[in-house]
Amino acid sequence: MAFIRKKQQEQQLQLYSKERFSLLLLNLEEYYFEQHRANHILHKGSHHERKIRGSLKICSKSVIFEPDSISQPIIKIPLRDCIKIGKHGENGANRHFTKAKSGGISLIFSQVYFIKEHNVVAPYKIERGKMEYVFELDVPGKVEDVVETLLQLHRASCLDKLGDQTAMITAILQSRLARTSFDKNRFQNISEKLHMECKAEMVTPLVTNPGHVCITDTNLYFQPLNGYPKPVVQITLQDVRRIYKRRHGLMPLGLEVFCTEDDLCSDIYLKFYEPQDRDDLYFYIATYLEHHVAEHTAESYMLQWQRGHLSNYQYLLHLNNLADRSCNDLSQYPVFPWIIHDYSSSELDLSNPGTFRDLSKPVGALNKERLERLLTRYQEMPEPKFMYGSHYSSPGYVLFYLVRIAPEYMLCLQNGRFDNADRMFNSIAETWKNCLDGATDFKELIPEFYGNDVSFLVNSLKLDLGKRQGGQMVDDVELPPWATSPEDFLQKSKDALESNYVSEHLHEWIDLIFGYKQKGSDAVGAHNGEESFEDLTEESKTLAWNNITKLQLHEHYKIHKEAVTGITVSRNGSSVFTTSQDSTLKMFSKESKMLQRSISFSNMALSSCLLLPGDATVITSSWDNNVYFYSIAFGRRQDTLMGHDDAVSKICWHDNRLYSASWDSTVKVWSGVPAEMPGTKRHHFDLLAELEHDVSVDTISLNAASTLLVSGTKEGTVNIWDLTTATLMHQIPCHSGIVCDTAFSPDSRHVLSTGADGCLNVIDVQTGMLISSMTSDEPQRCFVWDGNSVLSGSQSGELLVWDLLGAKVSERIQGHTGAVTCIWMNEQCSSIITGGEDRQIIFWKLQY
């Protein structure tokens, strides 16, 4: 199927290059620049000296040495872990300009990875400690240039700000592209007429490869800058059947070209640096196709399907493609439905409707009891409401199914590790049961389940995927009793997909995934509420964010003696509660514009505050290691939770659970049973979970369903936790210095973080991948966002409006005279209050 064919294409290209190396050995968003034939010198200068022959590859974030002998592991040295880089034998790594007789390059580093020893695909081995490796180039005259390049890339890897690292590497890449051009000697025919040439990157799952695109009157060419995996990729325009514009990394820069009619696997996927280059190339090929190929639309495919000219399988392939899904993009991989409900019988009866899954419902609504729990949570949830805390498709889900055929992709996605053995794709029935009963598992299937290739079900590569708790090794996927073999399983799955029952009901599932039941009132009615909102609230939010650049300062009040640290507001908007480093909790009336109460619990700073549902109790966190509960009605401290060994930095609350972050390197989850009568009884707390970190935790945030938590530490790491299992999903070291603030997007698919390094980073929740990074000239201390735009409070006191898609600041708004330290926005996004180091709270007004 799609991914398997793509992998076979890549394997054919690797056979061409005769290498074990692949771009999947690189980090995400890393480039492979050049290679040099070399020897790795072991025990240099001693009588035990020996040489290992191979290729030294220079990449934007690492140095990789691939030995010719497959018994030797590939060596990967991250540049950020290098201590010294220079010519071997020099006194100091920086003296690399003196002439040398040998071609020796010395790398002194603190960490190295060993990969594919004996050509076995397995988790990477890591060795730590100060080491020196020497590589001797075949061409000694290239040593100075290679050392200079490595020093330049090393400087980039050591920059404090991730955005600065990316900018410097991008500048190096663009400089290399500018110094080269497409080699016209690669034209298939000397009579070809050049139409256009530009810079671009060829996209394959998880990786991209920069080079030059060239189009003539008869051919489309791509020439990789590094010559990998072959000097030129060539496509004859006469063979092209379809071409589509794609969004890549949320930007209109992608172009996908197909030479087949009924396949999801394209022949080339290109990402351009400029939208105009993409559009020009698209126009040229589309104009060519107008004279040779009939255009296909969703309507034309639907008519063919209704008339029986397309199978259910073919129709789903085309719908996925038209919906911007591509096997080159694991975040938008083609999605197919679970069809069969019965994975326990010895015989599969396709004449029995009970054999099939209800195609009118999303996976999350198939189990009535689970649906009732989800509906209860949905009804109690503040806006934006959605039914499920995870999606039906993601890169992690795709590779969950395909790990046996694509293990290197899993290792690339998970930093050189396979998933836990008990969380692997072990059994069809077990996976289906988890999708029916699991609290956060709502995944659908992929096209491979209805194809002809069984390799994704069989551990033919004899991978060591780990041992399960019961002691059994992870091997082939366990099939249902009605399947006599993997081939039989796929054939019966295909028969089920093309059955009369599915043909009569498939349109119901299509409406959920591709059609009118994706959102709005129809989505809510179908329990597909992933993106559904109350109409008025949604209109208010859209209107507010469309006008966020017109924000104006309305009123300001200096009510504290030190920096404001937290803001929370009663549901009717009349009372504003604030905390401060001056150790006080203040209650301010928005109507009378008067300070109504000032409460102090200790002489230590308060760090954050929130209101419990019902607006009867305020909770505050303190640097004295405690969390305080204050009864508004009775005007006194109601309770104290002494739960940490150091300052409590941030608190969150949802559904009678308190989440507290602390400088003691933990986030704790407490069950908080509220008092029956506020002010008369104490709360009772049970510690449900403790999320351990390596260093102080400075900020936390929940997703809307409270199934996920994101934390930020003082050393710049963002951690994403699954609260249903209290396990760490991803650990992303994406800031240098303290993480100031973090928050999930409304749909829970992305996390935004800001840090003391001035970076704004967007992280994909499912993969843990850093998908975009922007930098400002000062820290952004706090923010709110809607998934596309960001309103942030800066160190200088300005409010900044960021356009994430355009990667730019849209507006700067003058506000505080010191750093903006906290920001509050109501559910409708129509009311905004900020607090600052200038001890003020500012009420902002939106101008429509």
Side-chain angles (χ1 to χ4, degrees), residues 342-345 425-430 449 454 456-458 476-490 493:
D342 179 5
Y343 291 100
S344 58
S345 299
F425 179 33
N426 292 304
S427 157
I428 304 288
E430 188 179 289
F449 278 81
V454 300
F456 77 103
L457 298 169
V458 180
D476 296 347
V477 177
E478 182 183 335
L479 302 174
W482 47 257
T484 59
S485 66
E487 291 80 5
D488 185 51
F489 171 76
L490 289 190
S493 297

PDB file of all heavy atoms in Angstrom, residues 342-345 425-430 449 454 456-458 476-490 493:
ATOM      1  N   ASP A 342     -16.527  -7.660  14.665  1.00  0.00           N
ATOM      2  CA  ASP A 342     -16.366  -8.992  15.249  1.00  0.00           C
ATOM      3  C   ASP A 342     -14.932  -9.496  15.045  1.00  0.00           C
ATOM      4  O   ASP A 342     -14.538  -9.856  13.937  1.00  0.00           O
ATOM      5  CB  ASP A 342     -17.354  -9.955  14.586  1.00  0.00           C
ATOM      6  CG  ASP A 342     -17.232 -11.379  15.120  1.00  0.00           C
ATOM      7  OD1 ASP A 342     -16.442 -11.588  16.066  1.00  0.00           O
ATOM      8  OD2 ASP A 342     -17.914 -12.269  14.592  1.00  0.00           O
ATOM      9  N   TYR A 343     -14.158  -9.512  16.142  1.00  0.00           N
ATOM     10  CA  TYR A 343     -12.796 -10.040  16.074  1.00  0.00           C
ATOM     11  C   TYR A 343     -12.614 -11.238  17.009  1.00  0.00           C
ATOM     12  O   TYR A 343     -11.498 -11.564  17.392  1.00  0.00           O
ATOM     13  CB  TYR A 343     -11.782  -8.938  16.418  1.00  0.00           C
ATOM     14  CG  TYR A 343     -11.715  -7.874  15.353  1.00  0.00           C
ATOM     15  CD1 TYR A 343     -12.394  -6.664  15.512  1.00  0.00           C
ATOM     16  CD2 TYR A 343     -11.013  -8.083  14.172  1.00  0.00           C
ATOM     17  CE1 TYR A 343     -12.363  -5.691  14.530  1.00  0.00           C
ATOM     18  CE2 TYR A 343     -10.966  -7.112  13.174  1.00  0.00           C
ATOM     19  CZ  TYR A 343     -11.648  -5.929  13.368  1.00  0.00           C
ATOM     20  OH  TYR A 343     -11.614  -4.968  12.384  1.00  0.00           O
ATOM     21  N   SER A 344     -13.728 -11.882  17.361  1.00  0.00           N
ATOM     22  CA  SER A 344     -13.651 -13.019  18.283  1.00  0.00           C
ATOM     23  C   SER A 344     -14.208 -14.316  17.702  1.00  0.00           C
ATOM     24  O   SER A 344     -13.861 -15.406  18.167  1.00  0.00           O
ATOM     25  CB  SER A 344     -14.388 -12.692  19.590  1.00  0.00           C
ATOM     26  OG  SER A 344     -15.746 -12.373  19.328  1.00  0.00           O
ATOM     27  N   SER A 345     -15.074 -14.247  16.684  1.00  0.00           N
ATOM     28  CA  SER A 345     -15.700 -15.465  16.136  1.00  0.00           C
ATOM     29  C   SER A 345     -14.701 -16.257  15.299  1.00  0.00           C
ATOM     30  O   SER A 345     -13.735 -15.716  14.759  1.00  0.00           O
ATOM     31  CB  SER A 345     -16.907 -15.098  15.266  1.00  0.00           C
ATOM     32  OG  SER A 345     -17.871 -14.418  16.041  1.00  0.00           O
ATOM     33  N   PHE A 425       1.654  -2.477  18.596  1.00  0.00           N
ATOM     34  CA  PHE A 425       0.564  -3.084  17.833  1.00  0.00           C
ATOM     35  C   PHE A 425       0.750  -4.600  17.911  1.00  0.00           C
ATOM     36  O   PHE A 425       1.400  -5.201  17.075  1.00  0.00           O
ATOM     37  CB  PHE A 425       0.627  -2.585  16.394  1.00  0.00           C
ATOM     38  CG  PHE A 425      -0.437  -3.149  15.479  1.00  0.00           C
ATOM     39  CD1 PHE A 425      -1.708  -3.458  15.949  1.00  0.00           C
ATOM     40  CD2 PHE A 425      -0.159  -3.341  14.131  1.00  0.00           C
ATOM     41  CE1 PHE A 425      -2.685  -3.967  15.095  1.00  0.00           C
ATOM     42  CE2 PHE A 425      -1.119  -3.844  13.266  1.00  0.00           C
ATOM     43  CZ  PHE A 425      -2.382  -4.157  13.749  1.00  0.00           C
ATOM     44  N   ASN A 426       0.167  -5.203  18.937  1.00  0.00           N
ATOM     45  CA  ASN A 426       0.382  -6.625  19.213  1.00  0.00           C
ATOM     46  C   ASN A 426      -0.731  -7.514  18.691  1.00  0.00           C
ATOM     47  O   ASN A 426      -0.494  -8.677  18.346  1.00  0.00           O
ATOM     48  CB  ASN A 426       0.533  -6.848  20.719  1.00  0.00           C
ATOM     49  CG  ASN A 426       1.801  -6.241  21.275  1.00  0.00           C
ATOM     50  OD1 ASN A 426       2.886  -6.553  20.803  1.00  0.00           O
ATOM     51  ND2 ASN A 426       1.685  -5.361  22.264  1.00  0.00           N
ATOM     52  N   SER A 427      -1.961  -6.987  18.654  1.00  0.00           N
ATOM     53  CA  SER A 427      -3.117  -7.828  18.349  1.00  0.00           C
ATOM     54  C   SER A 427      -4.201  -6.978  17.713  1.00  0.00           C
ATOM     55  O   SER A 427      -4.456  -5.854  18.151  1.00  0.00           O
ATOM     56  CB  SER A 427      -3.630  -8.477  19.635  1.00  0.00           C
ATOM     57  OG  SER A 427      -4.979  -8.846  19.538  1.00  0.00           O
ATOM     58  N   ILE A 428      -4.854  -7.518  16.670  1.00  0.00           N
ATOM     59  CA  ILE A 428      -5.972  -6.815  16.036  1.00  0.00           C
ATOM     60  C   ILE A 428      -7.108  -6.644  17.042  1.00  0.00           C
ATOM     61  O   ILE A 428      -7.626  -5.534  17.238  1.00  0.00           O
ATOM     62  CB  ILE A 428      -6.487  -7.588  14.803  1.00  0.00           C
ATOM     63  CG1 ILE A 428      -5.375  -7.844  13.779  1.00  0.00           C
ATOM     64  CG2 ILE A 428      -7.652  -6.828  14.167  1.00  0.00           C
ATOM     65  CD1 ILE A 428      -4.903  -6.651  13.019  1.00  0.00           C
ATOM     66  N   ALA A 429      -7.486  -7.724  17.698  1.00  0.00           N
ATOM     67  CA  ALA A 429      -8.611  -7.673  18.635  1.00  0.00           C
ATOM     68  C   ALA A 429      -8.307  -6.754  19.818  1.00  0.00           C
ATOM     69  O   ALA A 429      -9.173  -5.993  20.272  1.00  0.00           O
ATOM     70  CB  ALA A 429      -8.937  -9.086  19.135  1.00  0.00           C
ATOM     71  N   GLU A 430      -7.092  -6.802  20.309  1.00  0.00           N
ATOM     72  CA  GLU A 430      -6.693  -5.972  21.445  1.00  0.00           C
ATOM     73  C   GLU A 430      -6.733  -4.485  21.068  1.00  0.00           C
ATOM     74  O   GLU A 430      -7.185  -3.640  21.848  1.00  0.00           O
ATOM     75  CB  GLU A 430      -5.268  -6.377  21.862  1.00  0.00           C
ATOM     76  CG  GLU A 430      -4.754  -5.761  23.126  1.00  0.00           C
ATOM     77  CD  GLU A 430      -3.352  -6.263  23.434  1.00  0.00           C
ATOM     78  OE1 GLU A 430      -3.206  -7.443  23.805  1.00  0.00           O
ATOM     79  OE2 GLU A 430      -2.396  -5.473  23.280  1.00  0.00           O
ATOM     80  N   PHE A 449      -4.605  -1.745   5.732  1.00  0.00           N
ATOM     81  CA  PHE A 449      -5.498  -2.796   6.222  1.00  0.00           C
ATOM     82  C   PHE A 449      -6.402  -3.338   5.115  1.00  0.00           C
ATOM     83  O   PHE A 449      -7.050  -4.384   5.301  1.00  0.00           O
ATOM     84  CB  PHE A 449      -6.348  -2.279   7.375  1.00  0.00           C
ATOM     85  CG  PHE A 449      -5.644  -2.296   8.699  1.00  0.00           C
ATOM     86  CD1 PHE A 449      -4.765  -1.284   9.040  1.00  0.00           C
ATOM     87  CD2 PHE A 449      -5.845  -3.329   9.600  1.00  0.00           C
ATOM     88  CE1 PHE A 449      -4.102  -1.295  10.257  1.00  0.00           C
ATOM     89  CE2 PHE A 449      -5.185  -3.362  10.821  1.00  0.00           C
ATOM     90  CZ  PHE A 449      -4.304  -2.343  11.148  1.00  0.00           C
ATOM     91  N   VAL A 454       1.118  -7.870   3.215  1.00  0.00           N
ATOM     92  CA  VAL A 454       0.933  -8.277   4.614  1.00  0.00           C
ATOM     93  C   VAL A 454       2.142  -7.929   5.488  1.00  0.00           C
ATOM     94  O   VAL A 454       2.149  -8.239   6.681  1.00  0.00           O
ATOM     95  CB  VAL A 454       0.679  -9.796   4.717  1.00  0.00           C
ATOM     96  CG1 VAL A 454      -0.550 -10.197   3.945  1.00  0.00           C
ATOM     97  CG2 VAL A 454       1.908 -10.592   4.249  1.00  0.00           C
ATOM     98  N   PHE A 456       3.267  -5.441   7.008  1.00  0.00           N
ATOM     99  CA  PHE A 456       3.106  -4.649   8.222  1.00  0.00           C
ATOM    100  C   PHE A 456       2.532  -5.484   9.378  1.00  0.00           C
ATOM    101  O   PHE A 456       2.545  -5.049  10.531  1.00  0.00           O
ATOM    102  CB  PHE A 456       2.231  -3.415   7.962  1.00  0.00           C
ATOM    103  CG  PHE A 456       0.757  -3.676   7.868  1.00  0.00           C
ATOM    104  CD1 PHE A 456      -0.101  -3.367   8.921  1.00  0.00           C
ATOM    105  CD2 PHE A 456       0.205  -4.206   6.707  1.00  0.00           C
ATOM    106  CE1 PHE A 456      -1.465  -3.590   8.830  1.00  0.00           C
ATOM    107  CE2 PHE A 456      -1.153  -4.437   6.600  1.00  0.00           C
ATOM    108  CZ  PHE A 456      -1.999  -4.130   7.671  1.00  0.00           C
ATOM    109  N   LEU A 457       2.043  -6.693   9.070  1.00  0.00           N
ATOM    110  CA  LEU A 457       1.499  -7.585  10.098  1.00  0.00           C
ATOM    111  C   LEU A 457       2.502  -8.639  10.554  1.00  0.00           C
ATOM    112  O   LEU A 457       2.269  -9.328  11.550  1.00  0.00           O
ATOM    113  CB  LEU A 457       0.257  -8.303   9.559  1.00  0.00           C
ATOM    114  CG  LEU A 457      -0.934  -7.422   9.170  1.00  0.00           C
ATOM    115  CD1 LEU A 457      -1.975  -8.247   8.412  1.00  0.00           C
ATOM    116  CD2 LEU A 457      -1.544  -6.770  10.395  1.00  0.00           C
ATOM    117  N   VAL A 458       3.614  -8.750   9.850  1.00  0.00           N
ATOM    118  CA  VAL A 458       4.564  -9.846  10.076  1.00  0.00           C
ATOM    119  C   VAL A 458       5.937  -9.266  10.419  1.00  0.00           C
ATOM    120  O   VAL A 458       6.413  -8.349   9.749  1.00  0.00           O
ATOM    121  CB  VAL A 458       4.673 -10.741   8.820  1.00  0.00           C
ATOM    122  CG1 VAL A 458       5.650 -11.875   9.063  1.00  0.00           C
ATOM    123  CG2 VAL A 458       3.305 -11.275   8.425  1.00  0.00           C
ATOM    124  N   ASP A 476       4.925 -11.258  15.408  1.00  0.00           N
ATOM    125  CA  ASP A 476       3.866 -10.991  14.433  1.00  0.00           C
ATOM    126  C   ASP A 476       2.619 -10.478  15.152  1.00  0.00           C
ATOM    127  O   ASP A 476       2.408 -10.747  16.340  1.00  0.00           O
ATOM    128  CB  ASP A 476       3.497 -12.269  13.671  1.00  0.00           C
ATOM    129  CG  ASP A 476       4.662 -12.794  12.832  1.00  0.00           C
ATOM    130  OD1 ASP A 476       5.645 -12.043  12.653  1.00  0.00           O
ATOM    131  OD2 ASP A 476       4.593 -13.950  12.383  1.00  0.00           O
ATOM    132  N   VAL A 477       1.787  -9.760  14.420  1.00  0.00           N
ATOM    133  CA  VAL A 477       0.518  -9.283  14.984  1.00  0.00           C
ATOM    134  C   VAL A 477      -0.431 -10.473  15.135  1.00  0.00           C
ATOM    135  O   VAL A 477      -0.570 -11.297  14.219  1.00  0.00           O
ATOM    136  CB  VAL A 477      -0.120  -8.217  14.073  1.00  0.00           C
ATOM    137  CG1 VAL A 477      -1.474  -7.779  14.622  1.00  0.00           C
ATOM    138  CG2 VAL A 477       0.811  -7.009  13.925  1.00  0.00           C
ATOM    139  N   GLU A 478      -1.066 -10.569  16.302  1.00  0.00           N
ATOM    140  CA  GLU A 478      -2.019 -11.650  16.549  1.00  0.00           C
ATOM    141  C   GLU A 478      -3.307 -11.367  15.765  1.00  0.00           C
ATOM    142  O   GLU A 478      -3.908 -10.300  15.896  1.00  0.00           O
ATOM    143  CB  GLU A 478      -2.320 -11.744  18.044  1.00  0.00           C
ATOM    144  CG  GLU A 478      -3.262 -12.885  18.400  1.00  0.00           C
ATOM    145  CD  GLU A 478      -3.597 -12.918  19.887  1.00  0.00           C
ATOM    146  OE1 GLU A 478      -2.765 -12.409  20.688  1.00  0.00           O
ATOM    147  OE2 GLU A 478      -4.671 -13.419  20.244  1.00  0.00           O
ATOM    148  N   LEU A 479      -3.730 -12.331  14.967  1.00  0.00           N
ATOM    149  CA  LEU A 479      -4.896 -12.168  14.092  1.00  0.00           C
ATOM    150  C   LEU A 479      -6.157 -12.685  14.773  1.00  0.00           C
ATOM    151  O   LEU A 479      -6.090 -13.490  15.695  1.00  0.00           O
ATOM    152  CB  LEU A 479      -4.661 -12.929  12.784  1.00  0.00           C
ATOM    153  CG  LEU A 479      -3.416 -12.514  11.988  1.00  0.00           C
ATOM    154  CD1 LEU A 479      -3.219 -13.441  10.800  1.00  0.00           C
ATOM    155  CD2 LEU A 479      -3.529 -11.070  11.521  1.00  0.00           C
ATOM    156  N   PRO A 480      -7.338 -12.260  14.317  1.00  0.00           N
ATOM    157  CA  PRO A 480      -8.589 -12.791  14.877  1.00  0.00           C
ATOM    158  C   PRO A 480      -8.774 -14.256  14.490  1.00  0.00           C
ATOM    159  O   PRO A 480      -8.186 -14.725  13.504  1.00  0.00           O
ATOM    160  CB  PRO A 480      -9.661 -11.891  14.248  1.00  0.00           C
ATOM    161  CG  PRO A 480      -9.027 -11.292  13.047  1.00  0.00           C
ATOM    162  CD  PRO A 480      -7.564 -11.184  13.328  1.00  0.00           C
ATOM    163  N   PRO A 481      -9.585 -14.990  15.245  1.00  0.00           N
ATOM    164  CA  PRO A 481      -9.759 -16.434  14.980  1.00  0.00           C
ATOM    165  C   PRO A 481     -10.232 -16.734  13.562  1.00  0.00           C
ATOM    166  O   PRO A 481      -9.917 -17.805  13.027  1.00  0.00           O
ATOM    167  CB  PRO A 481     -10.804 -16.862  16.019  1.00  0.00           C
ATOM    168  CG  PRO A 481     -10.695 -15.847  17.116  1.00  0.00           C
ATOM    169  CD  PRO A 481     -10.332 -14.566  16.448  1.00  0.00           C
ATOM    170  N   TRP A 482     -11.008 -15.821  12.960  1.00  0.00           N
ATOM    171  CA  TRP A 482     -11.546 -16.090  11.623  1.00  0.00           C
ATOM    172  C   TRP A 482     -10.527 -15.927  10.492  1.00  0.00           C
ATOM    173  O   TRP A 482     -10.829 -16.227   9.333  1.00  0.00           O
ATOM    174  CB  TRP A 482     -12.779 -15.245  11.338  1.00  0.00           C
ATOM    175  CG  TRP A 482     -12.714 -13.776  11.657  1.00  0.00           C
ATOM    176  CD1 TRP A 482     -13.266 -13.158  12.729  1.00  0.00           C
ATOM    177  CD2 TRP A 482     -12.060 -12.745  10.890  1.00  0.00           C
ATOM    178  NE1 TRP A 482     -13.014 -11.805  12.697  1.00  0.00           N
ATOM    179  CE2 TRP A 482     -12.286 -11.525  11.573  1.00  0.00           C
ATOM    180  CE3 TRP A 482     -11.341 -12.728   9.709  1.00  0.00           C
ATOM    181  CZ2 TRP A 482     -11.797 -10.299  11.111  1.00  0.00           C
ATOM    182  CZ3 TRP A 482     -10.841 -11.513   9.234  1.00  0.00           C
ATOM    183  CH2 TRP A 482     -11.072 -10.323   9.926  1.00  0.00           C
ATOM    184  N   ALA A 483      -9.328 -15.489  10.812  1.00  0.00           N
ATOM    185  CA  ALA A 483      -8.288 -15.324   9.792  1.00  0.00           C
ATOM    186  C   ALA A 483      -7.266 -16.452   9.923  1.00  0.00           C
ATOM    187  O   ALA A 483      -6.670 -16.647  10.981  1.00  0.00           O
ATOM    188  CB  ALA A 483      -7.604 -13.971   9.951  1.00  0.00           C
ATOM    189  N   THR A 484      -7.059 -17.201   8.846  1.00  0.00           N
ATOM    190  CA  THR A 484      -6.124 -18.333   8.883  1.00  0.00           C
ATOM    191  C   THR A 484      -4.690 -17.908   8.618  1.00  0.00           C
ATOM    192  O   THR A 484      -3.758 -18.667   8.885  1.00  0.00           O
ATOM    193  CB  THR A 484      -6.538 -19.386   7.841  1.00  0.00           C
ATOM    194  OG1 THR A 484      -6.542 -18.767   6.530  1.00  0.00           O
ATOM    195  CG2 THR A 484      -7.928 -19.941   8.149  1.00  0.00           C
ATOM    196  N   SER A 485      -4.499 -16.713   8.083  1.00  0.00           N
ATOM    197  CA  SER A 485      -3.159 -16.212   7.768  1.00  0.00           C
ATOM    198  C   SER A 485      -3.260 -14.700   7.568  1.00  0.00           C
ATOM    199  O   SER A 485      -4.367 -14.155   7.422  1.00  0.00           O
ATOM    200  CB  SER A 485      -2.626 -16.862   6.486  1.00  0.00           C
ATOM    201  OG  SER A 485      -3.415 -16.437   5.368  1.00  0.00           O
ATOM    202  N   PRO A 486      -2.121 -14.011   7.549  1.00  0.00           N
ATOM    203  CA  PRO A 486      -2.180 -12.564   7.254  1.00  0.00           C
ATOM    204  C   PRO A 486      -2.838 -12.272   5.912  1.00  0.00           C
ATOM    205  O   PRO A 486      -3.602 -11.310   5.774  1.00  0.00           O
ATOM    206  CB  PRO A 486      -0.703 -12.154   7.265  1.00  0.00           C
ATOM    207  CG  PRO A 486      -0.041 -13.132   8.164  1.00  0.00           C
ATOM    208  CD  PRO A 486      -0.754 -14.429   7.934  1.00  0.00           C
ATOM    209  N   GLU A 487      -2.549 -13.119   4.912  1.00  0.00           N
ATOM    210  CA  GLU A 487      -3.163 -12.930   3.594  1.00  0.00           C
ATOM    211  C   GLU A 487      -4.679 -13.093   3.663  1.00  0.00           C
ATOM    212  O   GLU A 487      -5.435 -12.328   3.041  1.00  0.00           O
ATOM    213  CB  GLU A 487      -2.579 -13.936   2.584  1.00  0.00           C
ATOM    214  CG  GLU A 487      -1.138 -13.708   2.215  1.00  0.00           C
ATOM    215  CD  GLU A 487      -0.137 -14.223   3.244  1.00  0.00           C
ATOM    216  OE1 GLU A 487      -0.581 -14.876   4.241  1.00  0.00           O
ATOM    217  OE2 GLU A 487       1.065 -13.994   3.075  1.00  0.00           O
ATOM    218  N   ASP A 488      -5.118 -14.073   4.455  1.00  0.00           N
ATOM    219  CA  ASP A 488      -6.552 -14.303   4.624  1.00  0.00           C
ATOM    220  C   ASP A 488      -7.204 -13.125   5.360  1.00  0.00           C
ATOM    221  O   ASP A 488      -8.317 -12.713   5.023  1.00  0.00           O
ATOM    222  CB  ASP A 488      -6.774 -15.605   5.392  1.00  0.00           C
ATOM    223  CG  ASP A 488      -8.247 -15.979   5.489  1.00  0.00           C
ATOM    224  OD1 ASP A 488      -8.923 -15.993   4.445  1.00  0.00           O
ATOM    225  OD2 ASP A 488      -8.718 -16.230   6.619  1.00  0.00           O
ATOM    226  N   PHE A 489      -6.497 -12.585   6.342  1.00  0.00           N
ATOM    227  CA  PHE A 489      -7.021 -11.424   7.079  1.00  0.00           C
ATOM    228  C   PHE A 489      -7.237 -10.237   6.146  1.00  0.00           C
ATOM    229  O   PHE A 489      -8.308  -9.607   6.168  1.00  0.00           O
ATOM    230  CB  PHE A 489      -6.066 -11.032   8.210  1.00  0.00           C
ATOM    231  CG  PHE A 489      -6.432  -9.731   8.873  1.00  0.00           C
ATOM    232  CD1 PHE A 489      -7.500  -9.659   9.774  1.00  0.00           C
ATOM    233  CD2 PHE A 489      -5.742  -8.566   8.582  1.00  0.00           C
ATOM    234  CE1 PHE A 489      -7.858  -8.456  10.362  1.00  0.00           C
ATOM    235  CE2 PHE A 489      -6.084  -7.356   9.171  1.00  0.00           C
ATOM    236  CZ  PHE A 489      -7.146  -7.303  10.060  1.00  0.00           C
ATOM    237  N   LEU A 490      -6.250  -9.934   5.296  1.00  0.00           N
ATOM    238  CA  LEU A 490      -6.397  -8.794   4.387  1.00  0.00           C
ATOM    239  C   LEU A 490      -7.501  -9.053   3.356  1.00  0.00           C
ATOM    240  O   LEU A 490      -8.274  -8.143   3.025  1.00  0.00           O
ATOM    241  CB  LEU A 490      -5.076  -8.501   3.668  1.00  0.00           C
ATOM    242  CG  LEU A 490      -3.947  -7.892   4.508  1.00  0.00           C
ATOM    243  CD1 LEU A 490      -2.799  -7.443   3.602  1.00  0.00           C
ATOM    244  CD2 LEU A 490      -4.435  -6.692   5.320  1.00  0.00           C
ATOM    245  N   SER A 493     -10.800  -8.586   5.039  1.00  0.00           N
ATOM    246  CA  SER A 493     -11.004  -7.161   5.314  1.00  0.00           C
ATOM    247  C   SER A 493     -11.429  -6.430   4.049  1.00  0.00           C
ATOM    248  O   SER A 493     -12.319  -5.566   4.082  1.00  0.00           O
ATOM    249  CB  SER A 493      -9.713  -6.542   5.872  1.00  0.00           C
ATOM    250  OG  SER A 493      -9.370  -7.125   7.113  1.00  0.00           O
TER     251      SER A 493
END
